[in-house]
Amino acid sequence: MSSIEQVMQKISELENNAVELMKSIVPIKALGPLNNGEGETAKAEYIIKYLKSIGLSDIREYPAGDKTVPGGKRPNMTAILDGENKNRTVWILAHLDVVPEGDRSKWDTDPFEAVVKDGKIYGRGTEDNNQGLVSGIIAAQAFLDLGIKPKYNLGLMLVSDEETGSIFGLQHMVKNHKELFKKDDLIVVPDAGEPDSSMIEVAEKSILWLKFKTVGKQVHASTPEKGINAFKAASHLVVELNKLHTMFDTKDEVFDPPISTFEATKKEANVPNVNTIPGEDVFYLDCRILPNYTIQQVMDEAGKMCRDIEKKFDVKIEISIAQKDEAAPPTPVDAPVVKALEKAIKHVYKVDAKPMGIGGGTVAAIFRRAGYHAAVWSTLDDLAHQPNEYCVISNMMNDAKVFAHVCLNG
Ligand SMILES: [Zn+2]
């Protein structure tokens, strides 16, 4: 039997270990202080004990100081299983923290007890992100049990604080422990995905919400010549802003839809009666911008349009930012981590996975901003943060096989 097949079979045999590990960690409430919890230390300590028990010896801790939790520290750690080629590490990044259970009455089981039923494990954190965490550990355990060295190092990186900003987690690691990551490393973040394993998330759009406040002059509607209709001027601006679609018209088929979008959305109420010409108007524009453009470029063009409308209608227009999140540089669709995942997913799931872009907001952006090509992938029903969150046991085991495959083939 090839070493790949041996490892795949071994992972299947470790299913009970995976389920037991999940059962042990779900009750250890790892809530960050911003979620009124005491942090992730107890969970991290349990996992370190487990990692030692399976024979992983290279475990290092990188705590981030946080006075708002007992002990004053948020745990972060790496556990490394040496490969034949020690110059490249396949990182599996998972987060230790979970979110609160939310409305308890919507749960059919105790959210902080792992309940196994019909091939699933129910409980808060089972899918987000214990599944990825356990899959990574089980992949390492299979190599250790068999005494097989992967081609590349298997690096587990377990961090705090993903659910409340990552300041004490991945941001801390990337900022203060840059030496851990090498240029050729493969970084996998198993924290989002599709039920059919087909999505490898590599990019995100920038998000920009703009508020436009137009000021004219309020008068009686029977004498419009005495006032300035702010609503009418703003309506012309709405039409003008639609030209952003042609100004920023790059297509990128990695995204769905493959274009930047600029949509007028919310409209604040103006005058309460029909026979008054509104002297003030407020509306909003929701922009989702492909990463090849900057937010500033869009702001500049929108600003010019406002100046034109101001001249034409004798109004004053104020633009302000209601929300802004600049996209990280995308991971190339042919980056080694993407190629390795595609191969592994094909082998394990018999699925042709595709690199894709999403609307925004994964922890992988922190890696990408620091210059690393991270890919987000796992097999999920997407129940994160919901009541009756569960993880599908077969997904947990098969995702472990994908990680092992990447370490053996890279
Ligand atoms: Zn998560």
Side-chain angles (χ1 to χ4, degrees):
M1 212 183 343
S2 72
S3 49
I4 282 206
E5 291 318 314
Q6 283 183 59
V7 174
M8 302 287 121
Q9 192 185 316
K10 187 74 204 174
I11 288 173
S12 297
E13 289 166 18
L14 290 172
E15 185 174 307
N16 274 336
N17 303 62
V19 172
E20 287 306 314
L21 177 55
M22 184 69 93
K23 279 187 178 168
S24 307
I25 57 179
V26 168
I28 312 174
K29 271 194 195 185
L31 290 168
L34 291 176
N35 278 326
N36 301 314
E38 298 193 339
E40 304 85 350
T41 299
K43 187 168 172 180
E45 281 170 358
Y46 183 88
I47 288 168
I48 288 172
K49 242 193 277 160
Y50 186 88
L51 293 173
K52 285 184 177 158
S53 79
I54 63 170
L56 255 179
S57 51
D58 185 358
I59 299 168
R60 295 171 203 218
E61 296 180 66
Y62 303 92
D66 181 354
K67 291 199 182 80
T68 67
V69 290
K73 286 183 288 195
R74 306 289 290 278
N76 298 292
M77 63 170 117
T78 61
I80 305 220
L81 172 70
D82 281 345
E84 281 164 19
N85 174 356
K86 288 194 197 172
N87 293 320
R88 178 178 256 185
T89 301
V90 176
W91 291 106
I92 309 294
L93 175 98
H95 60 88
L96 294 157
D97 56 324
V98 301
V99 293
E101 70 269 36
D103 183 350
R104 185 93 175 208
S105 69
K106 294 206 164 80
W107 284 81
D108 299 332
T109 59
D110 180 346
F112 289 100
E113 187 192 324
V115 176
V116 181
K117 208 178 128 197
D118 304 328
K120 296 168 179 162
I121 312 173
Y122 289 85
R124 176 53 87 225
T126 47
E127 187 187 71
D128 179 19
N129 191 208
N130 290 341
Q131 179 181 322
L133 188 152
V134 172
S135 294
I137 293 173
I138 292 296
Q141 191 170 348
F143 284 115
L144 286 161
D145 279 6
L146 292 165
I148 292 176
K149 256 192 184 181
K151 189 164 165 192
Y152 304 113
N153 303 331
L154 168 54
L156 305 172
M157 180 172 296
L158 308 180
V159 297
S160 290
D161 196 28
E162 193 271 344
E163 300 291 0
T164 42
S166 292
I167 305 281
F168 300 100
L170 188 57
Q171 305 253 33
H172 170 83
M173 296 299 281
V174 168
K175 218 168 111 196
N176 301 300
H177 303 288
K178 233 184 149 129
E179 74 284 353
L180 289 169
F181 311 105
K182 290 187 218 81
K183 200 178 102 290
D184 287 336
D185 288 356
L186 304 183
I187 301 176
V188 181
V189 182
D191 198 20
E194 290 289 321
D196 65 359
S197 318
S198 65
M199 184 187 77
I200 303 171
E201 188 266 306
V202 293
E204 51 193 36
K205 291 179 183 173
S206 296
I207 297 175
L208 175 65
W209 293 352
L210 291 176
K211 176 182 178 183
F212 295 86
K213 182 176 166 188
T214 305
V215 180
K217 190 177 171 214
Q218 178 174 317
V219 289
H220 195 281
S222 64
T223 55
E225 74 283 359
K226 289 183 182 164
I228 301 168
N229 190 331
F231 176 38
K232 196 153 80 178
S235 302
H236 279 264
L237 179 58
V238 169
V239 175
E240 199 63 20
L241 286 166
N242 208 41
K243 289 186 183 152
L244 291 170
H245 284 108
T246 44
M247 289 173 166
F248 300 95
D249 63 349
T250 300
K251 263 198 171 169
D252 186 344
E253 297 294 342
V254 160
F255 290 90
D256 181 23
I259 52 169
S260 302
T261 56
F262 308 91
E263 289 298 317
T265 54
K266 181 174 163 181
K267 174 88 181 67
E268 283 181 11
N270 51 23
V271 289
N273 51 314
V274 177
N275 58 351
T276 298
I277 284 183
E280 207 178 286
D281 181 272
V282 176
F283 74 89
Y284 294 79
L285 193 76
D286 176 303
C287 313
R288 310 283 160 141
I289 308 159
L290 287 175
N292 62 305
Y293 299 118
T294 64
I295 283 179
Q296 193 55 48
Q297 285 174 295
V298 173
M299 294 281 297
D300 289 347
E301 292 303 329
K304 278 186 219 158
M305 291 173 186
C306 290
R307 303 294 86 83
D308 286 350
I309 296 291
E310 281 181 334
K311 260 191 237 149
K312 235 172 159 173
F313 292 87
D314 198 25
V315 290
K316 275 270 155 255
I317 302 171
E318 209 182 278
I319 311 186
S320 53
I321 294 170
Q323 157 105 337
K324 174 175 113 162
D325 196 5
E326 187 106 41
T331 291
V333 293
D334 58 356
V337 64
V338 178
K339 291 283 148 204
L341 276 171
E342 284 173 355
K343 235 192 319 178
I345 296 161
K346 182 84 183 170
H347 183 98
V348 174
Y349 283 100
K350 322 279 181 246
V351 165
D352 290 307
K354 264 186 26 201
M356 288 174 76
I358 60 165
T362 70
V363 71
I366 298 168
F367 277 124
R368 292 181 189 140
R369 282 197 188 102
Y372 305 104
H373 293 158
V376 180
W377 174 85
S378 53
T379 308
L380 300 177
D381 284 359
D382 199 13
L383 285 133
H385 302 199
Q386 295 179 33
N388 300 318
E389 177 182 353
Y390 64 80
C391 123
V392 177
I393 294 169
S394 61
N395 290 344
M396 175 166 67
M397 304 317 295
N398 286 328
D399 284 9
K401 291 178 188 173
V402 169
F403 302 151
H405 191 287
V406 171
C407 294
L408 279 164
N409 275 270

